[in-house]
């Protein structure tokens, strides 16, 4: 039952609606496995999201069978960062769960750049 509820939540997520074209977005990448879009609330001059088309609620819900997809997401993040000339570096962030700061329960990678980052983050 929990799996069924999780799938229903993912079907209603804003990212699912963006993937399905129901909500407009500024796409930076689109392939059969994922999309990359500009974040609507950027925290840096460059801030985009890499979102798998497969409905995975968060990184803690990823399965062994998802390892190729997870690798693909990182390679797309690198590719789009390169296309956006983030040659001085960038930060990848995956929030997971309530305490991890995840707001949309659909796995996504934040790519943040064109700004000097500090450590530790918030």
């Amino acid at each position: 039952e929990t799996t069924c509820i999780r799938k229903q939540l993912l079907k209603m997520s804003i990212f699912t609606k963006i993937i399905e074209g129901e909500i407009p977005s500024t796409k930076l990448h689109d392939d059969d496995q994922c999309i990359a879009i500009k974040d609507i609330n950027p925290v840096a001059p460059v801030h985009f999201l890499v979102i798998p088309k497969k409905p995975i609620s968060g990184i803690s819900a990823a399965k062994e069978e998802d390892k190729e997809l997870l690798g693909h997401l990182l390679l797309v993040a690198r590719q789009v960062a390169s296309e956006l000339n983030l040659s001085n570096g960038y930060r990848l962030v995956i929030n997971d769960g309530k305490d991890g700061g995840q707001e949309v329960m659909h796995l996504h990678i934040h790519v943040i750049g064109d700004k000097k980052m500090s450590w530790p983050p918030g």
Side-chain angles (χ1 to χ4, degrees), residues 19-30:
I19 290 165
E20 293 177 357
E22 295 175 23
I23 296 175
S25 65
T26 304
K27 286 188 184 170
L28 304 171
H29 178 90
D30 189 353

Side-chain angles (χ1 to χ4, degrees):
E1 189 171 319
T2 303
T3 303
C4 184
I5 292 169
R6 180 173 283 152
K7 286 181 180 176
Q8 287 175 344
L9 288 172
L10 286 170
K11 281 186 178 182
M12 294 183 294
S13 88
I14 189 168
F15 292 157
T16 301
K17 291 178 180 178
I18 290 169
I19 290 165
E20 293 177 357
E22 295 175 23
I23 296 175
S25 65
T26 304
K27 286 188 184 170
L28 304 171
H29 178 90
D30 189 353
D31 66 29
D32 61 328
Q33 297 181 73
C34 70
I35 62 170
I37 61 171
K38 286 188 175 183
D39 194 296
I40 61 169
N41 295 308
V43 298
V46 174
H47 185 173
F48 64 91
L49 307 174
V50 181
I51 308 164
K53 291 182 177 179
K54 179 179 180 180
I56 302 171
S57 61
I59 193 67
S60 60
K63 307 278 188 239
E64 183 70 21
E65 67 198 41
D66 297 318
K67 66 183 173 184
E68 287 185 29
L69 172 60
L70 297 174
H72 180 72
L73 299 176
L74 292 174
L75 292 174
V76 168
R78 182 203 64 190
Q79 174 189 330
V80 175
S82 176
E83 290 169 1
L84 296 175
N85 299 311
L86 295 179
S87 57
N88 287 330
Y90 48 92
R91 180 170 287 167
L92 303 178
V93 177
I94 300 175
N95 298 320
D96 190 69
K98 182 179 175 184
D99 286 352
Q102 186 177 6
E103 294 179 359
V104 178
M105 296 302 142
H106 187 131
L107 176 65
H108 56 287
I109 302 171
H110 293 262
V111 183
I112 304 163
D114 204 22
K115 168 185 173 180
K116 177 78 172 151
M117 304 288 169
S118 61
W119 194 261

